[in-house]
Amino acid sequence: MDVHPSVPARSGPELIAYAKANPNKLNMGSPGSGTGPHMASELFKLMAGITMTHVPYRGSAPMLNDLIGGQVQFAFDGITSSIGHIRGGRLRALGVSTAARIDLLPDLPTVGEFVPGYEASGTQGLGAPRGTPAEIIDKLNREINAGLADPKIRTRLADLGSAPVALSPAEYGKLLAEETEKWGKVVKAAGLKPE
């Protein structure tokens, strides 16, 4: 959760207080309507009880450019693309959307620390066409999980701001179903419509 340095908030609670005192004054950038960062922002707005004006972009790079330039003042962005700007003082990070703090910025609180129950993190996985034999799926799962257990791969993924989780196909299917239900509720509550 990043803000432009001109925003007079140095913490998540200060941002919420500022947004409540100045409804829709902050422009909230996203890499596009319906993207993960857009949904993370909508969930934050709903749970914090604030309003901001959504400004969708055609991708993360133009959104990030305008956030750095001050045309938008607030955005959720992936740590891999924003970490250099945070460290360089071009952006101010106020929180991470994950359930736990991240190693790259250990002093940065989770959003859930000041908005209880908040968590928004992306997931990546591998899918196979329906009807793929179970023995092939099981073999792929074993090999991928073995790769994720490799210390070099884990270190590289951590350097990129990712935390690998080795799941079974059934566990991943359950996670996807839970995430679909959670984000479907956000879409409905925010009144979002497909474009």
Side-chain angles (χ1 to χ4, degrees), residues 11 20 40 45 58 67 85 98 110 114 130 147 158 162 183 187:
S11 69
K20 284 183 177 181
K45 286 173 29 183
R58 291 185 177 192
L67 181 60
H85 303 293
T98 51
T110 67
F114 50 88
R130 185 180 306 269
S162 294
W183 295 110
V187 168

Side-chain angles (χ1 to χ4, degrees), residues 68-128:
I68 293 165
Q71 288 82 7
V72 293
Q73 295 78 40
F74 171 91
F76 277 89
D77 190 36
I79 191 68
T80 55
S81 57
S82 61
I83 187 71
H85 303 293
I86 293 166
R87 288 181 174 154
R90 292 177 295 280
L91 294 176
R92 182 180 307 126
L94 300 181
V96 293
S97 63
T98 51
R101 291 184 181 210
I102 60 171
D103 291 340
L104 286 174
L105 298 167
D107 295 331
L108 189 63
T110 67
V111 175
E113 290 176 48
F114 50 88
V115 179
Y118 182 92
E119 186 274 332
S121 56
T123 183
Q124 296 176 0
L126 187 65

Side-chain angles (χ1 to χ4, degrees), residues 126-137 140 176:
L126 187 65
R130 185 180 306 269
T132 301
E135 59 271 7
I136 292 174
I137 290 173
L140 285 169
L176 291 178

Side-chain angles (χ1 to χ4, degrees), residues 131-167:
T132 301
E135 59 271 7
I136 292 174
I137 290 173
D138 291 340
K139 180 174 178 147
L140 285 169
N141 184 250
R142 272 192 314 277
E143 296 299 322
I144 291 167
N145 286 345
L148 292 176
D150 181 292
K152 287 182 184 176
I153 291 174
R154 292 186 75 79
T155 298
R156 180 65 181 134
L157 289 171
D159 288 344
L160 295 171
S162 294
V165 179
L167 300 174

